[in-house]
Amino acid sequence: MENGFKKDDLIKLKGFDRAIIGIGFQADQNILENDHVVYDSEKIIEILKEEQNLTDEEANEYFEYNILGAHMGDNTPLIIDTSVKAKIDALNKPL
């Protein structure tokens, strides 16, 4: 165990290291930790557009089908939609 997580159990998305925003922890039904690499969805889509020369629509479709829809076992990476947090933060700002 390194820094509180089991490094060998982590599953990473190949080619998307720039989109990693942290490590997530989760207890399963057996009270065992499952560690997850956490990615920013907006950064993943930007990487797809930059590195594969995809349009917005193509990048979003690829992301939804091939990344967001992928299940890789107990340690499947987590995807966070940070644009939603920005929208919530904007709503909570005083006028």
Side-chain angles (χ1 to χ4, degrees):
M1 199 176 267
E2 182 179 310
N3 297 325
F5 63 90
K6 297 172 277 191
K7 186 176 179 181
D8 294 339
D9 292 343
L10 296 176
I11 298 173
K12 290 173 57 179
L13 300 173
K14 185 177 180 181
F16 296 99
D17 285 359
R18 291 186 297 142
I20 294 174
I21 56 176
I23 302 294
F25 304 95
Q26 177 183 17
D28 69 13
Q29 293 175 354
N30 298 319
I31 315 300
L32 299 172
E33 286 184 357
N34 288 324
D35 303 331
H36 306 270
V37 178
V38 180
Y39 291 87
D40 180 328
S41 63
E42 296 297 312
K43 289 181 183 176
I44 291 174
I45 292 168
E46 285 302 315
I47 291 168
L48 287 169
K49 291 184 336 189
E50 291 170 9
E51 296 185 6
Q52 295 188 23
N53 295 320
L54 300 178
T55 65
D56 286 338
E57 184 177 337
E58 291 168 334
N60 279 296
E61 184 176 318
Y62 183 93
F63 167 75
E64 289 174 9
Y65 185 78
N66 295 291
I67 297 173
L68 195 58
H71 179 73
M72 302 171 207
D74 290 340
N75 299 89
T76 297
L78 300 177
I79 311 295
I80 304 293
D81 184 351
T82 55
S83 68
V84 171
K85 181 177 180 343
K87 292 172 188 171
I88 292 170
D89 289 346
L91 289 174
N92 290 330
K93 286 185 181 178
L95 297 175

